[in-house]
Every structure is written in structure tokens, then in C-alpha cells.
Amino acid sequence: QVQLVESGGGLVQPGGSLRLSCAASGSIFSINSMGWYRQAPGKQRELVVEVTGGSSPNYGDSAKGRFTISRDNAKNTVYLQMNSLKPEDTAVYYCWASVATTAAGYTYGYWGQGTQVTVSS
């Protein structure tokens, strides 16, 4: 099994910053992709950003220019630096990873439990 544990959410004022972390652990042979999605009340889950291997990150429209993903492969950890936060960024943020648990290379998707980000004055 693979576990993804997020941290770093909370309440921040508009224009502020937050940094989310997601650490993967368990039966990991390799991680293909990691990223972040978010879901606001009454809305569908949407892509924030995803990064695969050494490729350039794929940012959702809402994140471009304000959010930055970074990855520490040695720690199986991904970070999301969020700047210039807006009230519409309020959502539960979920970490996602595509993980191979054996050398056979088949990958499966795993989700974290989510962390609440609230942007409000």
C-alpha cells in the first residue's frame, strides 16, 4: 500500500502565501507523477498542477503565475508554493501520485486525504 500525507493547509488572508507538502510512503518502487488537485464546495475536483519525471509541470489555468510545484525525489515528497492567494482559491487540496509498487512497472493512482486551504480576511 501507498500513503500520501499532506500538510501545510490553513487560513490565510487574500494576497498571502501558503506552502503545502505531500510525502509518499509505503510500498514504492518508483513514482511516475505527482501533483495537486483541489475541490471547492459544490464544484468538481480540478487540476492545480502535475509533474511527470523530468518534464515541465502542467499547471491548471488557476495556478499559472502564482503557484509553483517542486519535488524532492529522494524524499518522495512534493511541495506546492502558493502565492498571491485569492478567496476563490479556497478549497480542499489533494495530493495525487502515480506509483509503481514493483519492478514490473505497472502504476496506480493514489490520493491523499486532503488539506483545507481557506483564503479569507
Side-chain angles (χ1 to χ4, degrees):
Q1 268 292 6
V2 174
Q3 298 81 39
L4 301 179
V5 178
E6 302 115 330
S7 60
L11 173 65
V12 63
Q13 291 187 343
S17 299
L18 277 178
R19 188 189 193 217
L20 306 183
S21 300
C22 172
S25 63
S27 301
I28 298 171
F29 179 80
S30 64
I31 298 178
N32 182 37
S33 303
M34 291 190 81
W36 295 91
Y37 287 73
R38 71 185 187 185
Q39 188 167 17
K43 295 188 176 182
Q44 290 188 332
R45 193 170 295 189
E46 64 174 5
L47 171 71
V48 177
V49 59
E50 209 174 275
V51 60
T52 299
S55 301
S56 296
N58 177 33
Y59 288 95
D61 289 341
S62 62
K64 291 177 181 176
R66 299 187 300 127
F67 296 180
T68 303
I69 191 171
S70 59
R71 187 171 165 179
D72 186 335
N73 292 327
K75 295 182 179 180
N76 290 332
T77 298
V78 66
Y79 306 94
L80 181 66
Q81 178 66 43
M82 303 186 293
N83 298 327
S84 303
L85 283 162
K86 307 173 182 179
E88 49 264 44
D89 294 317
T90 296
V92 177
Y93 285 69
Y94 295 92
C95 180
W96 179 87
S98 175
V99 178
T101 56
T102 70
Y106 297 108
T107 59
Y108 300 91
Y110 295 89
W111 291 95
Q113 80 285 357
T115 185
Q116 177 69 47
V117 171
T118 302
V119 184
S120 175
S121 55

